[in-house]
Amino acid sequence: MEVGLMQREWVQYIKSLLNEGTLDSQYLQLLQLQDESNPTFVSEVVTLFFEDTVELLNKLCWAVSQPSVDFKKIDDHVHQLKGSSSSIGALGVKNVCITFRSACEQQSTDGCVRCLQQVQQEFYGVKEKLGYLFALEKRILDAGGSIPMDF
């Protein structure tokens, strides 16, 4: 596939992720930090987010399954997830974390379980979509192109 065509597809895909609320403008700000000297900066940062989030989700699953639920501990984990998802522009994950924190404040085990399921759904959705985006970026770079910064 021609580089120009892949670049246009990349721009359209980013726009669709913004329009559907998967990502927000923070992701665009992250992209501004990426340049020719480090063309994979964003994918490296987001990959760390993915790794950390899987660990946090495991901790949350364990915490909500305990006979005596520690809502403070759960809230601490959710607060961390909210911050990291905000920093990479994962809007859907961040928004569910806001609701999740409310369930913690209300000390609602059922609410926390529902929110955990929603966070997992949002997280794995954004992970899949960004995985596709990063694969497209790799194809663009491997073909000698650059990631467009004007959209």
Side-chain angles (χ1 to χ4, degrees), residues 2 9 27 33 35 37 39 46 57 64 77-78 84 94 98 102 108 110 112 115 121 123 133 136:
E2 177 206 337
E9 179 182 348
Y27 189 83
L33 300 174
D35 59 21
S37 67
V46 172
L57 290 174
V64 300
H77 292 320
V78 174
S84 61
K94 179 187 86 171
I98 292 168
S102 293
S108 169
D110 290 341
C112 286
C115 287
Q121 183 177 354
F123 169 70
L133 185 70
L136 183 55

Side-chain angles (χ1 to χ4, degrees), residues 33-116:
L33 300 174
Q34 185 165 279
D35 59 21
E36 296 295 322
S37 67
N38 193 358
T40 59
F41 171 76
V42 174
S43 65
E44 291 169 15
V45 169
V46 172
T47 298
L48 289 174
F49 164 74
F50 291 159
E51 292 168 0
D52 291 346
T53 299
V54 168
E55 185 177 321
L56 273 175
L57 290 174
N58 288 335
K59 288 177 182 178
L60 285 166
C61 286
W62 182 85
V64 300
S65 69
Q66 296 308 298
S68 177
V69 176
D70 183 346
F71 292 101
K72 172 72 174 112
K73 179 175 275 198
I74 293 171
D75 186 59
D76 289 346
H77 292 320
V78 174
H79 180 71
Q80 182 181 352
L81 180 55
K82 180 179 170 262
S84 61
S85 60
S86 294
S87 70
I88 67 139
L91 181 62
V93 176
K94 179 187 86 171
N95 287 342
V96 175
C97 285
I98 292 168
T99 305
F100 203 154
R101 293 196 73 200
S102 293
C104 289
E105 286 175 17
Q106 297 165 8
Q107 298 197 351
S108 169
T109 302
D110 290 341
C112 286
V113 169
R114 278 192 303 277
C115 287
L116 176 56

Side-chain angles (χ1 to χ4, degrees), residues 8-21:
R8 286 188 292 281
E9 179 182 348
W10 185 89
V11 168
Q12 287 306 106
Y13 195 67
I14 285 278
K15 286 180 180 179
S16 73
L17 294 177
L18 292 166
N19 290 336
E20 71 187 24

